[in-house]
Amino acid sequence: MFKNSLLVFLFIGSSIAYAQRNPLVVADSLSQKKWVEAKYNAMSLEERVGQLFMVSVASNQNKAATDKIKQIILENHIGGVIFSNGGPVQQAKLTNTYQSASKIPLLIGMDAEWGLAMRLDSTYAFPWNMTLGAIRDSSVVERVGKQIGKHAKRLGVHINFAPDIDINTNPKNPIIGNRSFGEDRENVTRNGIAFMKGMESEQVLSSGKHFPGHGDTSSDSHKTLPQIPFSRKRLDSIEMYPFEKLIDAGISSIMVAHLSVPSLELQKDLPSSLSEQIISGILKEQLGFKGLVFTDALNMNGVGTSKNPGDVELAAFNAGNDILLMPKDVVAAKNRLLKAYGNGRISKERLETSVKKILMAKFKVGLNTYKPIVLKNLYEDLNSLENDLVYERAIENAITVAKNDFSLLPIKTLENKKIAYVELGDDSGAVFLNTLKKYTTVTKIDKNTITSSTNSLAAYNLVIVGHHMNNESPWKSYSYSKADLAVLNNISKLRTSNLILAEFAKPYALNSVKLDGVNSVVIGFQNSAIAQEKVAEVVFGAIGAKGKLPVTANPDLPVNRSVKFDSILRLGYSLPERVGVSSSKLAEIDKLVAAGIDSLMFPGAQVLVARKGKIIYEKAFGKPTYDATEKVTLDHIYDLASLTKILGTLPLLMKMEEEGKLSLNQTFQELIPAYADTELKNVSVLKALSHYGRLPAWIAFYTSTLDKNRKPSGEFYRDKLLPGFSTRVTDKLYITDAYTDSIYNRIGRQDLKSNRYRYSDVGYYVFHKYIEDTYKEKQDVLANKYFYAPLGAKTTTYNPIDKFEKDRIIPSEEDNYYRYERVQGYVHDMGAAMLGGVGGHAGLFSNASDIAKIMQMYLQGGFYGGDRFISSRTIKKFNTCYFCKENVRRGVGFDKPDARTGSPTCGCVSQKSFGHSGFTGTYTWADPEEEIVYVFLSNRTYPSATNTLLVKSGLRTRIQRVIYDAIEN
């Protein structure tokens, strides 16, 4: 029968076989051959036959079961063990036990297609093949394969039965699905080769499966014998295509499936795993494969049963398999093969060929110099930070935008968006929602409130729906429930909003979705925390969209469909190592901040570090006050004090300079004509912003409004809003509206100081007035309209008590000299308070992440989130020190490092860097050379501003030193 079958397949060039290099041969082939010959010649017939078997064990089985395997090893000299479920430490212990019991080192195998987590707890799950199939860059897939190989090697696993190179052309395939790279043969082949190379680079054998192709079946070979009813021409062009290419690329082994393939095997219902025509004829001779051939598990129903124990194993061996995987009865099977050898049904040459191939494989994986698995740090080695780095890069490259009407993605013009999020599916979308909220205000709407008759989304113009399905395994249900489809359908019919659908399951889930009313579709493939975070980043353009559909997801979304776009330069989130920073070194910040809290420098703090456009460190510490019960969170809002100068006033001045409404050479008398007859008249904008304008450091305006008991005088204040007293200092203290003029009159009466560097708030009072007079609008409104709203800096605001719950705002002081109350939600600075909370020098509040957005905008030359806020020329002009020769370190508004002392920084930043500090215990700094943004927020003034421990300690710049010391490349 076998000879006849060859005639059927003559059109396949026989030259392939001669060209195929033996993938089991190593560089030092002479040493390998010598070891193989020595081991083979030293073995008895029973030991040689024993090498053909790989038995199954689970490390979570009881001792009796695992001891039984040890006995089988001792008595039957089996060649290998395949581990199933359990844990890594117990598996390592069992592996060491079994290896010590075996005369010839065992070949240890596992099914670890997406990592050891496919079988073991306490290990890492990498993206499924379907996810990897969306990646265009093969090096990313290769890196995943390498990391999986690295884990396998560390656990003493020599062969990973991966990659699965089945072409999944059947969406209803019950067993392959997510395990496949997709339906495009070239894509499956390319990724299969990349995965294989990565794994083999770690000296772990690869195994292409399931030959001749299990991708277009609707039944599971674990339960029955699936049929592949296609012609040979179809099989050559689709199912077997990846196998041929991976054989050419040097794959170490092939696993043969239990399939009925009538066009390849003439005997009806003979499984491919028992077919001599398929294995010896096609795989070995026609495709020229010289590596190891494994059966799929012989305890599966697909292979069938026989009356006589061992007959299936004998048939499998005679068909051309080298290793018989997971026989039902290994002892009976071995005896059956020995009997067949004795009566001539197995030749000496046939046995020798397989056994020597097995020994060659063992040499290739280093079993010629076997060493036991080291148990120390095993868990840590298998769960290192490197895993997340590999996973994150893979997901970033896989995320696919499959539809994008009106170029809705990435979301721009945040100031015009009112966004709702609706969660569908059987799993949580909390990480996705929380990441969306980092970019702008996003409100979660309960799906149960959305019906055809009730529109709870009426107030929103953009709806993001997340379909989140369980991520535990690729076999979990991925389909939309009827109820969820109804909700999605109701949303898609809305005419008041656009709709973005984020799919966190395999693409086939979209097959049931009517896409007419869906404007954009983005696919994250899995519902892991990293996938959720990265999809949110794609939605807002922090990272670009790179992936392509590995399968046809919907009649409107064919295979290879993609909408690519680049990042629009919003801050993203990543691990420090992705941008050349050491996590372990950066962790020293934790210790420094903790020491600051313990030393009573401040009750709590937020610290943020970004590099190369990625936030790599963002933590909250301590409590809002020393006696508070709650902890500081990243959502808490701090009084920024003088950071207002560069985050509130300076961007508006830069905008005015670009619009011709302001010149750096203008003088105060030009800004405020009433100063024409004062000493301030010739103070230039440039000198004032450089703190070289001879202005006084500050003016204690509030002291003139206190009575003889040093309390707010009734002449100037009321305890509630009244006509003429609308300027709010606190909710219990309103100052007369007329006092604003008194402030500016007093500034005009000031004498100029000596001509030297002198830090001053006074100029910013002038700029504040000029801004509002020019635009005929309040500074807080202008800053929000032109900067904070479009940037997505939603917590950056003046008078936060009007927008946020009081408990979310960190107190700045227990005031016993002016307001006589806890200052919370209102500006700490007295002068700004007397202007209604909005000053040019103080008044701004924010959290660390929103400050980072503004600083990153500066760092990117005035560009952020797809918008040009300020020209790079203007940024450069204002970030220049014009009076350095006069020992004035400042730029135009920006503070800069002193070239002599490094102050007010760690002395480790570049001269191009810039930033500012604030009285309440705040600090932010950006460095264009290292692409670093650093933010430190605290309320060191609580309970009293007399606490200067933070200032004296230099803690803020010591943290900065840690950041720079953590840079590795």
Side-chain angles (χ1 to χ4, degrees):
M1 184 185 295
F2 169 59
K3 291 181 179 178
N4 292 336
S5 69
L6 290 181
L7 296 175
V8 181
F9 308 127
L10 277 177
F11 60 87
I12 291 190
S14 59
S15 61
I16 295 175
Y18 297 109
Q20 174 64 29
R21 181 185 65 82
N22 189 332
L24 302 177
V25 175
V26 300
D28 188 1
S29 58
L30 292 178
S31 295
Q32 183 186 40
K33 184 176 181 181
K34 183 178 179 180
W35 185 83
V36 168
E37 292 294 338
K39 290 298 180 184
Y40 183 81
N41 292 333
M43 280 193 269
S44 66
L45 175 62
E46 283 206 6
E47 289 171 337
R48 290 171 181 171
V49 173
Q51 289 296 301
L52 306 176
F53 295 95
M54 182 175 272
V55 298
S56 174
V57 67
S59 58
N60 62 4
Q61 289 178 298
N62 58 38
K63 191 173 186 300
T66 56
D67 283 350
K68 183 179 179 181
I69 299 299
K70 180 180 179 181
Q71 197 64 29
I72 290 173
I73 294 169
L74 287 167
E75 295 177 357
N76 294 278
H77 317 290
I78 59 170
V81 171
I82 176 171
F83 276 94
S84 185
N85 298 340
V89 175
Q90 185 59 24
Q91 178 170 317
K93 291 178 179 178
L94 284 174
T95 299
N96 287 343
T97 298
Y98 294 158
Q99 292 285 21
S100 66
S102 182
K103 180 180 177 181
I104 302 293
L106 297 162
L107 190 69
I108 304 298
M110 276 190 75
D111 278 315
E113 296 169 21
W114 55 88
L116 301 178
M118 183 172 176
R119 293 286 183 257
L120 303 179
D121 61 36
S122 307
T123 54
Y124 200 87
F126 291 92
W128 302 322
N129 280 3
M130 184 72 75
T131 307
L132 301 180
I135 297 172
R136 300 172 190 268
D137 185 349
S138 296
S139 68
V140 177
V141 179
E142 184 173 340
R143 185 65 186 85
V144 174
K146 182 178 180 65
Q147 193 70 3
I148 290 173
K150 191 174 183 179
H151 287 184
K153 185 176 182 179
R154 178 66 180 87
L155 192 57
V157 174
H158 310 114
I159 180 166
N160 179 11
F161 293 108
D164 186 322
I165 50 175
D166 296 310
I167 298 177
N168 203 84
T169 51
N170 187 342
K172 295 182 180 180
N173 193 316
I175 192 61
I176 304 302
N178 268 325
R179 300 165 67 193
S180 165
F181 290 113
E183 71 179 65
D184 181 296
R185 70 174 195 171
E186 302 296 342
N187 189 45
V188 170
T189 299
R190 178 177 57 83
N191 285 309
I193 290 172
F195 191 99
M196 173 198 77
K197 286 182 176 179
M199 203 159 56
E200 297 247 2
S201 71
E202 290 293 330
Q203 210 177 0
V204 172
L205 302 179
S206 54
S207 186
K209 62 186 186 185
H210 304 84
F211 187 82
H214 205 320
D216 197 348
T217 66
S218 55
S219 55
D220 179 359
S221 55
H222 291 83
K223 302 174 181 178
T224 187
L225 181 65
Q227 187 172 91
I228 306 293
F230 309 115
S231 69
R232 175 60 194 268
K233 183 178 181 180
R234 147 76 189 247
L235 293 171
D236 281 339
S237 63
I238 302 295
E239 277 77 8
M240 291 197 293
Y241 182 85
F243 292 95
E244 180 181 344
K245 297 301 181 183
L246 265 75
I247 287 169
D248 291 345
I251 195 161
S252 296
S253 74
I254 297 288
M255 176 183 283
V256 183
H258 309 311
L259 301 169
S260 172
V261 194
S263 64
L264 302 184
E265 170 53 57
L266 302 181
Q267 183 177 330
K268 185 179 180 181
D269 292 335
L270 181 67
S272 48
S273 54
L274 306 184
S275 169
E276 185 180 6
Q277 296 185 58
I278 292 173
I279 299 170
S280 295
I282 299 175
L283 179 60
K284 289 185 171 182
E285 294 209 9
Q286 294 175 18
L287 298 183
F289 183 58
K290 290 181 168 61
L292 282 176
V293 181
F294 284 81
T295 66
D296 204 342
L298 294 173
N299 60 3
M300 292 164 60
N301 290 336
V303 76
T305 58
S306 62
K307 294 180 180 179
N308 300 314
D311 279 356
V312 167
E313 288 77 10
L314 176 59
F317 184 71
N318 280 336
N321 291 290
D322 298 307
I323 295 183
L324 309 174
L325 187 65
M326 299 169 63
K328 288 184 177 180
D329 185 339
V330 66
V331 176
K334 181 185 175 186
N335 289 335
R336 186 73 183 89
L337 265 66
L338 284 169
K339 184 177 179 181
Y341 184 89
N343 61 29
R345 289 189 63 187
I346 296 176
S347 68
K348 177 184 177 183
E349 292 75 21
R350 172 72 184 88
L351 179 63
E352 182 178 356
T353 298
S354 285
V355 175
K356 285 187 175 180
K357 283 167 71 176
I358 294 166
L359 291 172
M360 288 173 71
K362 290 186 175 184
F363 187 96
K364 183 178 181 180
V365 298
L367 283 173
N368 56 310
T369 55
Y370 165 74
K371 294 178 181 178
I373 302 165
V374 177
L375 298 180
K376 186 177 180 181
N377 294 328
L378 177 61
Y379 175 84
E380 290 76 10
D381 292 343
L382 296 179
N383 292 279
S384 68
L385 181 66
E386 191 175 17
N387 298 338
D388 282 342
L389 293 169
V390 172
Y391 191 111
E392 181 179 276
R393 185 177 175 221
I395 288 292
E396 284 183 0
N397 279 271
I399 293 169
T400 300
V401 174
K403 183 180 183 182
N404 198 26
D405 295 346
F406 320 121
S407 297
L408 188 58
L409 294 176
I411 297 173
K412 299 178 182 177
T413 58
L414 299 181
E415 67 274 23
N416 298 328
K417 301 293 190 297
K418 190 162 186 187
I419 304 175
Y421 160 74
V422 180
E423 181 179 292
L424 305 180
D426 63 6
D427 206 4
S428 172
V431 174
F432 181 54
L433 174 59
N434 289 337
T435 309
L436 292 174
K437 285 181 174 180
K438 291 179 179 180
Y439 292 98
T440 191
T441 300
V442 179
T443 304
K444 184 177 182 180
I445 302 297
D446 187 342
K447 66 180 180 181
N448 295 314
T449 67
I450 303 167
T451 66
S452 57
S453 59
T454 304
N455 186 5
S456 56
L457 296 170
Y460 302 91
N461 58 19
L462 178 59
V463 181
I464 300 173
V465 173
H467 182 233
H468 303 270
M469 298 303 289
N470 190 285
N471 197 61
E472 289 180 4
S473 88
W475 298 290
K476 287 280 189 178
S477 173
Y478 60 88
S479 301
Y480 283 76
S481 68
K482 289 183 180 179
D484 281 353
L485 280 176
V487 171
L488 184 58
N489 189 46
N490 286 331
I491 297 172
S492 69
K493 292 178 180 178
L494 295 176
R495 294 292 176 263
T496 56
S497 59
N498 290 317
L499 172 58
I500 296 170
L501 175 58
E503 183 59 62
F504 294 95
K506 59 185 173 184
Y508 294 133
L510 294 167
N511 202 36
S512 61
V513 176
K514 295 179 181 179
L515 295 175
D516 293 348
V518 180
N519 302 112
S520 296
V521 177
V522 56
I523 304 167
F525 296 94
Q526 300 183 221
N527 199 42
S528 64
I530 293 177
Q532 291 188 48
E533 181 178 78
K534 293 301 164 184
V535 170
E537 290 186 30
V538 168
V539 166
F540 282 103
I543 57 177
K546 302 176 183 178
K548 62 178 181 177
L549 278 175
V551 294
T552 297
N554 181 285
D556 295 327
L557 303 177
V559 63
N560 294 323
R561 174 73 172 269
S562 73
V563 179
K564 293 176 66 178
F565 55 75
D566 294 328
S567 165
I568 57 172
L569 300 184
R570 282 197 178 104
L571 280 168
Y573 294 80
S574 191
L575 298 163
E577 281 71 12
R578 282 291 301 277
V579 292
V581 178
S582 166
S583 293
S584 58
K585 291 179 180 178
L586 211 56
E588 289 297 312
I589 296 174
D590 296 28
K591 298 177 183 177
L592 287 175
V593 179
I597 293 171
D598 291 343
S599 300
L600 303 181
M601 295 181 192
F602 45 83
Q606 291 175 357
V607 182
L608 180 148
V609 181
R611 190 181 191 214
K612 298 182 179 180
K614 305 288 186 184
I615 293 174
I616 57 173
Y617 182 100
E618 187 182 19
K619 291 187 179 181
F621 299 87
K623 299 182 291 187
T625 66
Y626 289 108
D627 57 356
T629 55
E630 74 273 22
K631 295 181 178 180
V632 173
T633 70
L634 296 176
D635 290 327
H636 274 105
I637 301 166
Y638 280 84
D639 184 330
L640 305 184
S642 283
L643 297 194
T644 302
K645 293 181 173 73
I646 66 165
L647 302 177
T649 303
L650 197 61
L652 288 170
L653 293 178
M654 285 192 263
K655 174 179 169 59
M656 295 178 78
E657 199 265 352
E658 289 185 352
E659 294 174 346
K661 293 180 171 68
L662 178 77
S663 166
L664 295 183
N665 293 323
Q666 279 184 283
T667 60
F668 276 15
Q669 65 179 334
E670 294 175 85
L671 303 188
I672 301 179
Y675 289 169
D677 296 323
T678 71
E679 285 197 24
L680 275 60
K681 63 181 179 180
N682 292 322
V683 175
S684 70
V685 172
L686 176 62
K687 285 192 173 183
L689 287 172
S690 301
H691 298 278
Y692 192 48
R694 300 175 62 191
L695 299 172
W698 77 300
I699 302 171
F701 297 107
Y702 80 97
T703 58
S704 299
T705 66
L706 303 181
D707 62 20
K708 62 181 181 180
N709 297 317
R710 300 198 61 79
K711 297 288 181 69
S713 170
E715 179 184 354
F716 302 107
Y717 294 97
R718 298 293 183 270
D719 61 3
K720 58 186 176 182
L721 178 65
L722 291 171
F725 291 84
S726 65
T727 305
R728 184 180 58 181
V729 177
T730 73
D731 60 342
K732 300 175 183 176
L733 194 64
Y734 289 79
I735 191 170
T736 174
D737 299 335
Y739 205 83
T740 299
D741 289 340
S742 299
I743 289 174
Y744 283 97
N745 288 336
R746 185 169 175 183
I747 290 173
R749 296 196 301 271
Q750 297 298 306
D751 296 327
L752 292 179
K753 306 298 180 183
S754 58
N755 192 26
R756 63 173 178 82
Y757 166 71
R758 180 180 290 98
Y759 178 75
S760 174
D761 285 345
V762 174
Y764 282 87
Y765 283 84
V766 175
F767 299 135
H768 169 68
K769 179 174 173 55
Y770 182 68
I771 289 168
E772 295 194 344
D773 287 350
T774 300
Y775 285 104
K776 310 300 181 186
E777 205 164 4
K778 294 295 185 181
Q779 180 172 335
D780 54 341
V781 175
L782 292 165
N784 186 67
K785 178 167 64 175
Y786 292 124
F787 293 97
Y788 310 147
L791 282 167
K794 59 185 184 294
T795 67
T796 308
T797 187
Y798 299 82
N799 289 314
I801 198 70
D802 295 333
K803 299 180 182 179
F804 302 101
E805 294 292 327
K806 189 174 184 178
D807 288 345
R808 192 174 167 186
I809 307 165
I810 299 291
S812 56
E813 190 174 21
E814 295 290 345
D815 182 345
N816 60 4
Y817 53 87
Y818 173 39
R819 288 151 286 203
Y820 293 92
E821 62 177 88
R822 173 177 289 186
V823 182
Q824 184 175 11
Y826 300 94
V827 62
H828 176 268
D829 182 271
M830 292 73 74
M834 297 170 74
L835 293 174
V838 183
H841 64 296
L844 200 59
F845 287 69
S846 188
N847 66 5
S849 64
D850 284 346
I851 292 173
K853 293 171 186 176
I854 303 171
M855 297 300 285
Q856 187 69 26
M857 179 268 290
Y858 287 148
L859 206 61
Q860 293 170 178
F863 187 88
Y864 189 89
D867 290 328
R868 168 66 62 187
F869 290 87
I870 305 167
S871 77
S872 57
R873 177 197 63 82
T874 303
I875 299 284
K876 185 176 180 180
K877 178 188 289 189
F878 279 69
N879 186 30
T880 297
C881 177
Y882 291 93
F883 304 104
C884 283
K885 291 182 179 179
E886 284 76 32
N887 295 324
V888 178
R889 70 170 189 257
R890 301 268 175 167
V892 184
F894 293 115
D895 201 353
K896 294 186 67 63
D898 191 306
R900 300 165 300 162
T901 66
S903 175
T905 71
C906 57
C908 49
V909 300
S910 77
Q911 283 301 306
K912 293 181 180 179
S913 69
F914 55 90
H916 216 284
S917 60
F919 182 79
T920 51
T922 58
Y923 186 89
T924 187
W925 209 266
D927 189 340
E929 288 195 0
E930 291 293 350
E931 298 180 76
I932 283 177
V933 169
Y934 162 45
V935 183
F936 178 96
L937 301 181
S938 78
N939 54 335
R940 69 101 192 157
T941 51
Y942 189 90
S944 172
T946 60
N947 178 7
T948 59
L949 291 174
L950 174 65
V951 179
K952 293 176 181 177
S953 72
L955 180 69
R956 291 172 285 188
T957 54
R958 284 159 55 202
I959 291 173
Q960 192 175 47
R961 166 66 69 179
V962 168
I963 296 167
Y964 278 75
D965 287 347
I967 297 173
E968 297 189 329
N969 57 64

